[in-house]
Amino acid sequence: MRREELLAEVATVLANSEVCVLMGGRGVGKTHLAATHVRDQLCADVARVLWIVADDVAAVVTSFADFARQAGAVDEVVDTEPAARTALRWLENESERSVIVFDNALDADAIARWMPQRGNVHVLITTTNQEFTVFGATVHVDVLTPAQAVTFLCSRAGLDDPRAAALVARELGQLPLALAQAGAVIRRHRWSFAEYLAGFRSMPLRSLLPRVPGDNYPRTLEEATLLSVSEVEDSDPNGLVRRLIDLLAVLSDAGVRRDLLRNLLDEPRRVDEALGGLANASVVGFDVTGTRVAMHRLTRQVVLARARTEGRIRDTVRDALMLLTRVTEAQPAPGVDVVDHIAEVWAETQTVLVSDDEIAAELLRLRRWSVGRLTAMGEFNRAVAVGRTVLTEHRALAPSDHEAVALARRALIDAYMTADRDNEAIPYAEQALADRVRLAGLDHPSTVGARNLLGYCCECGGQLDRALTIHRYNLVESVRVCGPDAPSTMGARINLASTYRSMGDLARAVPLFEENLAENVRVYGPDHGSTINARGELARIYVRTGRAAEGVRLHEENAALGTDQQRADIHLTWWPQYRAAAYSAAGRHDEAIGQLRALVQRVDDVLPHDNPQAIRLRLFLARALLAGRRHTEALALFERTVADRERVLGVDHPGSLNARRNFGLALAAIGRRRWAQAILSAVVSDYTRVLGPEHPYTRTAQANIASLPKSRWFAWG
């Protein structure tokens, strides 16, 4: 197909200079582009074209010598080198326009010897070698656009099915050579695009992308790719280039950060040099920032097939695991891209896992890490989806009672809980407790811990009566099995207090929170993580019971210990948001609003837009704005919170019902009683339908309605 924008760019370059370099990877259509330009010029003002296949230096000399003989510039008996020099001088002295094409030039020094220095000669160089950029202006030739690829593939295949063609084109990475060869196969076999795609995912590449007879490109895509790869590998006797090529093939095709690859060696400079060589040969490419390197998906496929054929896939996987393990253990923790790399290694190496327990164990560990990292970064929906898949993978590869299975289950539970999908976590927590009882017995600390987790899931999921029963029993059991100073006992006590708070039984909750802080200080000291959590929870209950000044004091004690910096990612706002709420309750409205605005901005910078933690933080800001009498902004934010929670969590989720209740309370607080009455009545009906008439959340909403005629202010929750 004609690529008009590139042809125009070539024409512009040659209108202003004598040399144009067509730069790009194998199969992007450089030769075709050069040939199209030459044909156009032959129809215009070009008298002659010397086309030289320039991947071999000797062939360059021979081509010039043959031209000299054909033009009658030398006798037939003249040696090749002198004849070639005569041809070059003859072209330089001709008044009519000539064009020399060095197609697939590889050696810049060798080609430089045969570049015309004067005369009416234009030179086109097609190359993968970026060293040729010094020869003249460069036109970068890349893959086709999606629309171009579809048009080209439909034309070559003789089919008119753009939607199906788009799927094939995407699989082929819009590479012109691959599209041409695929189209020929589809036409020859009279396949549909769907039939070709099915074969592409199961059959050898060489059979689905063969050389097209009569085409001006002499190689199959696989041959062309391996030629480029081999050329750059042969220049590195230490084998680092091959290691990097194999690594890039097994990691994500979205690209790999350069700083990640530097972890491969203790000498990052060597990695940079090797990557530079690969980019210089157009085997890989850097993004515009120079920080990420990527390999075309078909190059990856060819390289992976070679590694399997040559028996090196196991070594490549070990290299990848070593690299990824180093990265996951580094600080600061890496981003989601590492999760993608781990998933790609997993997908590409299933045959290796079957026969290598060590590789399987390490890759399963990295898969669990991926779930935790997605959760920490607020990618909750993906964390849950990956977590379910990872648990299935563990069950397939490890015995059901293996610790790895329990760890995978816990990672999934954490993902559900952090995503506010607490009820979906409960069956997994029940299974975890059943496994602990079966494997360790009732009198084991791990059983106490599993029971504590189940109770916490029940509380967060609104199953408060069940949570209360579990936590009461578990506190006694933890003291008996683990002792009064054990972490499990501290956890059981604070979870029991929290359940009382959720049930609205503040008279029982407050002294239990106070006892919990005192016990933590006694056992761990004032600045231990467990003590900080205990102090923060006591501050929350103080604020809720009208003791705002005491709550502020406790929150500020924690802040002085640097707790704002101790948590990252989704936890970065946890205690600051409650401290700001305490300021609001204490009448320090501007301070509270300012801190919450800053937290919202911080969260928007690092978490996905629909993250439940981000939505919760906006609810905190709405409450502070209302308390600070910024009613218009507050009501808009309350309404947004309702819409966000219903969209993300569902209309019947307790969090969505609570957001609607908060909106109703806000309306009541500014005197819009009739609207508030309608919203709160609907909320009570929905609480009754979803949770039952006696549930504490239902009773709280009923109490809110009952207090409407009496008060402008309410206890938030």
Side-chain angles (χ1 to χ4, degrees), residues 184-479:
V185 169
I186 292 169
R187 184 185 289 268
R188 183 185 312 132
H189 292 290
R190 292 175 171 78
W191 283 344
S192 67
F193 288 125
E195 288 171 325
Y196 179 85
L197 199 58
F200 185 81
R201 292 167 177 165
S202 60
M203 296 169 63
L205 198 62
R206 68 179 66 90
S207 64
L208 291 169
L209 294 174
R211 180 183 176 276
V212 179
D215 192 86
N216 59 8
Y217 199 83
R219 300 180 180 91
T220 68
L221 181 131
E222 185 176 31
E223 291 168 346
T225 301
L226 289 175
L227 180 62
S228 286
V229 168
S230 298
E231 286 167 353
V232 71
E233 286 177 343
D234 291 344
S235 67
D236 173 34
N238 297 316
L240 176 58
V241 166
R242 172 168 282 203
R243 287 179 70 191
L244 283 169
I245 288 174
D246 288 349
L247 263 178
L248 289 168
V250 82
L251 297 175
S252 170
D253 62 1
V256 187
R257 285 183 289 110
R258 184 205 295 256
D259 63 306
L260 187 153
L261 290 168
R262 286 172 177 156
N263 287 277
L264 186 63
L265 297 178
D266 293 331
E267 300 177 72
R269 176 186 57 81
R270 288 182 56 204
V271 173
D272 285 345
E273 290 174 352
L275 290 173
L278 286 168
N280 196 50
S282 299
V283 173
V284 302
F286 283 97
D287 66 359
V288 294
T289 67
T291 60
R292 186 179 292 270
V293 60
M295 178 184 284
H296 191 276
R297 64 193 313 163
L298 290 179
T299 304
R300 295 176 70 252
Q301 193 166 335
V302 169
V303 171
L304 274 174
R306 182 188 67 167
R308 293 192 182 100
T309 300
E310 296 179 358
R312 291 185 292 100
I313 189 65
R314 196 180 303 273
D315 291 336
T316 299
V317 171
R318 288 198 179 100
D319 251 359
L321 294 183
M322 180 271 291
L323 180 70
L324 293 169
T325 298
R326 285 184 179 179
V327 172
T328 57
E329 292 172 352
Q331 292 296 331
V336 174
D337 61 323
V338 176
V339 174
D340 297 332
H341 295 316
I342 292 168
E344 195 69 34
V345 174
W346 172 268
E348 293 289 353
T349 57
Q350 295 302 294
T351 54
V352 177
L353 296 179
V354 173
S355 58
D356 196 315
D357 291 342
E358 183 180 349
I359 286 179
E362 180 59 16
L363 195 45
L364 287 173
R365 186 194 69 79
L366 288 171
R367 291 287 278 164
R368 295 194 300 273
W369 177 91
S370 297
V371 181
R373 189 65 189 136
L374 288 169
T375 302
M377 296 191 72
E379 299 277 355
F380 295 143
N381 289 336
R382 187 178 174 195
V384 167
V386 173
R388 294 174 66 171
T389 300
V390 168
L391 180 56
T392 300
E393 293 164 355
H394 278 66
R395 286 170 171 164
L397 289 172
S400 60
D401 57 353
H402 195 281
E403 181 187 9
V405 176
L407 292 172
R409 185 191 298 117
R410 179 56 193 262
L412 176 57
I413 291 171
D414 289 344
Y416 273 126
M417 296 293 289
T418 317
D420 284 353
R421 295 167 62 176
D422 313 295
N423 281 313
E424 293 176 79
I426 290 174
Y428 295 98
E430 290 171 337
Q431 189 176 48
L433 176 58
D435 283 353
R436 286 296 89 202
V437 171
R438 177 174 57 84
L439 297 171
L442 288 171
D443 295 341
H444 195 276
S446 65
T447 304
V448 174
R451 189 183 298 112
N452 199 35
L453 176 63
L454 175 59
Y456 179 66
C457 292
C458 290
E459 182 205 344
C460 294
Q463 299 184 25
L464 300 182
D465 289 337
R466 186 183 182 193
L468 183 63
T469 300
I470 291 172
H471 286 315
R472 278 175 170 168
Y473 176 77
N474 205 48
L475 179 56
V476 173
E477 284 296 281
S478 185
V479 172

Side-chain angles (χ1 to χ4, degrees), residues 627-647:
R629 300 189 181 280
R630 304 183 191 186
H631 296 161
T632 301
E633 186 179 359
L635 288 182
L637 205 50
F638 276 117
E639 283 192 281
R640 177 183 172 183
T641 301
V642 171
D644 286 347
R645 281 192 168 170
E646 288 184 344
R647 184 182 67 258

